[in-house]
């Protein structure tokens, strides 16, 4: 699985790129969850958004009877989704009022 929308976007580090690659072609369930959490817990909006997109895809796949391995992190996911949606402060945008 790919996240299509986020595929052309480069992540800042090779570690984050490796985590994204693990989400696309998981080597194991534990490695998948570890990669998901690495992206989700990064302090950058794009990697978090990649993780959120993969979670959504996992939810869609769950209709075939397999559970979503990231479902147990739903509280953290909700917190990170709110963080992504929060507009940057004027200082973060480079504006000084």
């Amino acid at each position: 699985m790919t996240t299509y929308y986020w595929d052309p976007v480069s992540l800042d580090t090779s570690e984050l790129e490796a985590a994204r690659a693990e989400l696309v072609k998981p080597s194991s369930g534990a490695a998948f969850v570890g990669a998901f959490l690495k992206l989700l817990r990064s302090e950058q909006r794009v990697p978090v958004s990649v993780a959120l997109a993969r979670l959504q895809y996992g939810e869609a796949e769950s209709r075939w009877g397999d559970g979503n391995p990231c479902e147990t992190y739903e509280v953290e996911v909700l917190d990170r989704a709110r963080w992504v949606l929060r507009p940057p402060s004027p200082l973060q945008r480079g504006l000084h009022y």
Side-chain angles (χ1 to χ4, degrees):
M1 176 272 153
T2 63
T3 55
Y4 300 115
Y5 181 83
W6 295 106
D7 283 353
V9 179
S10 295
L11 302 181
D12 287 347
T13 68
S14 59
E15 186 178 22
L16 292 173
E17 286 289 355
R20 175 169 48 188
E22 182 65 33
L23 292 185
V24 172
K25 190 173 181 183
S27 58
S28 71
F32 175 87
V33 171
F36 172 78
L37 292 174
K38 180 166 291 303
L39 293 170
L40 186 69
R41 293 173 178 167
S42 76
E43 292 300 321
Q44 301 170 32
R45 282 183 160 71
V46 172
V48 172
S49 297
V50 169
L52 295 175
R54 183 56 180 94
L55 174 79
Q56 186 277 328
Y57 184 81
E59 285 296 307
E61 285 182 318
S62 69
R63 72 177 179 265
W64 304 113
D66 293 332
N68 187 341
C70 303
E71 190 174 38
T72 59
Y73 300 98
E74 63 186 21
V75 172
E76 188 174 357
V77 165
L78 183 57
D79 180 58
R80 298 307 284 163
R82 287 178 177 140
W83 176 78
V84 166
L85 294 172
R86 188 174 307 127
S89 72
L91 292 177
Q92 289 172 319
R93 290 187 301 229
L95 304 174
H96 302 284
Y97 292 116

